[in-house]
């Protein structure tokens, strides 16, 4: 039809065909994304846990930058963010943070972000303006509900209480309302301190533990548990899934898919969809 329209000079038909092709391409792109987000837990909300690697203030600042990146990304999707646990650094940044992202397919989008993230920059904390490399780990797992049977034996749990950290002054929690739960068979540790009620913190921590155990089961099914756990345990060289270089040039590159972007600051402001889509496609391709 396009050849005939061009031969006859029918510009109206040409415009209509081009419009239909554009609409078809958009529909194909939508269906392709739908196929990438068809995992068992992809429709669920997500927990995101970030831990600073070795390196003190540098790594802790990097962990906070990552938390901001995911928060900005979630905001762009109109997702809700709730901080469940946060351990601030001594001088700047954070040692660790756990937050919940609530929104359509939050886990499906973020599930490939688990791993070590590497930052290269001129340190703002170095008086000699030397270039530093910092690492932080990201761990993503789905928020489960009562429809998913997760059995947890009380005898397998170690439950500790402690005082929640804070900015100081009147806001510091004077009671031991924060909860840390250790699941002895797997070594999984979760903690929550966002509420002044110990009971509510315990309930939230148990929900996080169930989610971690469910995510563990999903990874066992995919036969990738060993490599994933190794990535989580060693926050350093050779294990990063993505590198963010701010000096001497700007570049963010994913080591799994080779996708790269020159606008590093845009990525750190939450523009990460290109990396998420490529990682999902790569994961589906490997599984296939």
């Amino acid at each position: 039809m396009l050849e005939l329209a061009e031969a006859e000079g029918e510009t109206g038909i040409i415009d209509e065909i081009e419009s239909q092709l554009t609409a078809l391409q958009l529909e194909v792109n939508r269906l392709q994304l739908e196929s990438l987000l068809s995992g068992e837990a992809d429709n669920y909300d997500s927990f995101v846990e970030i831990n600073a690697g070795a390196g003190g203030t540098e790594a802790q600042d990097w962990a906070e930058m990552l938390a901001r990146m995911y928060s900005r990304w979630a905001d762009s999707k109109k997702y809700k963010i709730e901080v469940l646990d946060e351990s601030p650094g001594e001088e700047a940044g954070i040692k660790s943070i756990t937050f919940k992202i609530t929104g359509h397919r939050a886990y499906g989008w973020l599930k490939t972000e688990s791993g070590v993230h590497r930052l290269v920059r001129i340190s703002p904390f170095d008086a000699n303006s030397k270039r530093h490399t910092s690492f932080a780990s990201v761990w993503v797992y789905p928020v489960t509900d009562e429809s998913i049977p997760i059995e947890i034996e009380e005898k397998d749990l170690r439950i500790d209480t402690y005082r929640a950290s804070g900015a100081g002054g009147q806001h510091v929690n004077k009671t031991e309302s924060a909860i840390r739960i250790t699941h002895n068979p797997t070594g999984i540790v979760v903690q929550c301190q966002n509420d002044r009620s110990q009971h509510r913190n315990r309930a939230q921590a148990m929900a996080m533990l169930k989610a971690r155990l469910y995510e563990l089961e999903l990874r066992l099914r995919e036969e990738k548990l060993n490599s994933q756990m190794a990535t989580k345990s060693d926050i350093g060289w050779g294990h990063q899934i993505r590198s963010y270089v701010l000096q001497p040039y700007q570049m963010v590159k994913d080591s799994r898919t080779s996708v790269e972007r020159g606008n590093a600051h845009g990525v750190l402001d939450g523009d990460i969809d290109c990396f998420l889509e490529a990682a999902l496609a790569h994961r589906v391709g490997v599984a296939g």
Side-chain angles (χ1 to χ4, degrees):
M1 284 184 64
L2 184 60
E3 291 177 356
L4 288 172
E6 288 177 340
E8 296 295 329
E10 296 286 349
T11 57
I13 296 177
I14 293 174
D15 290 343
E16 182 180 351
I17 292 173
E18 289 179 346
S19 176
Q20 290 178 358
L21 286 173
T22 299
L24 183 60
Q25 183 63 59
L26 291 173
E27 179 65 10
V28 168
N29 292 342
R30 185 189 68 79
L31 291 172
Q32 183 178 25
L33 281 178
E34 291 285 336
S35 71
L36 298 179
L37 296 170
S38 57
E40 179 179 326
D42 286 358
N43 286 330
Y44 296 158
D45 300 331
S46 180
F47 291 118
V48 178
E49 175 187 326
I50 301 173
N51 292 283
T57 302
E58 267 296 318
Q60 291 163 18
D61 189 55
W62 173 223
E64 186 172 52
M65 290 169 67
L66 281 174
R68 177 182 178 274
M69 180 183 79
Y70 290 117
S71 295
R72 288 292 185 90
W73 174 83
D75 286 340
S76 72
K77 302 293 183 184
K78 308 301 182 185
Y79 290 169
K80 178 184 176 183
I81 306 169
E82 179 186 4
V83 176
L84 303 176
D85 187 79
E86 183 175 357
S87 178
E90 285 86 0
E91 297 179 30
I94 52 177
K95 295 178 181 177
S96 64
I97 187 171
T98 302
F99 49 91
K100 177 181 177 182
I101 297 181
T102 303
H104 183 55
R105 291 179 169 168
Y107 175 71
W109 278 111
L110 291 172
K111 64 183 180 182
T112 59
E113 287 298 282
S114 291
V116 176
H117 296 244
R118 168 177 173 257
L119 173 70
V120 180
R121 65 170 177 176
I122 302 297
S123 170
F125 307 102
D126 188 335
N128 296 317
S129 298
K130 292 183 178 180
R131 192 169 62 171
H132 286 248
T133 300
S134 306
F135 299 92
S137 69
V138 176
W139 198 244
V140 179
Y141 45 103
V143 177
T144 60
D145 56 33
E146 296 302 320
S147 66
I148 300 172
I150 305 288
E151 294 186 7
I152 300 176
E153 300 281 349
E154 282 291 331
K155 62 182 178 62
D156 292 335
L157 302 180
R158 174 185 168 184
I159 301 176
D160 300 304
T161 60
Y162 60 99
R163 291 188 179 183
S165 59
Q170 62 180 348
H171 300 293
V172 171
N173 199 331
K174 301 293 195 299
T175 62
E176 294 189 343
S177 62
I179 294 288
R180 180 184 297 111
I181 300 178
T182 303
H183 186 249
N184 294 320
T186 60
I188 291 174
V189 179
V190 295
Q191 54 192 39
C192 183
Q193 60 169 315
N194 70 314
D195 202 289
R196 292 190 177 185
S197 164
Q198 185 183 110
H199 177 74
R200 284 192 288 269
N201 283 337
R202 176 176 173 137
Q204 183 66 73
M206 283 298 295
M208 293 162 63
L209 177 59
K210 287 182 179 180
R212 286 287 296 273
L213 290 172
Y214 177 57
E215 189 264 355
L216 183 63
E217 173 63 23
L218 292 177
R219 290 182 182 275
L220 278 169
R221 293 178 196 173
E222 295 177 0
E223 297 182 348
K224 295 179 180 180
L225 177 64
N226 291 335
S227 60
Q228 292 290 344
M229 293 302 286
T231 298
K232 178 176 171 61
S233 60
D234 190 352
I235 310 177
W237 285 102
H239 296 276
Q240 64 268 10
I241 63 170
R242 191 175 304 137
S243 294
Y244 306 71
V245 180
L246 301 184
Q247 277 97 12
Y249 55 88
Q250 282 200 25
M251 178 68 69
V252 179
K253 183 173 182 177
D254 195 292
S255 59
R256 302 161 299 176
T257 63
S258 296
V259 170
E260 58 185 48
R261 288 292 182 271
N263 183 12
H265 289 292
V267 173
L268 291 172
D269 274 336
D271 185 12
I272 59 175
D273 280 348
C274 61
F275 296 107
L276 302 182
E277 291 174 14
L280 285 168
H282 175 75
R283 182 166 176 161
V284 171
V286 170

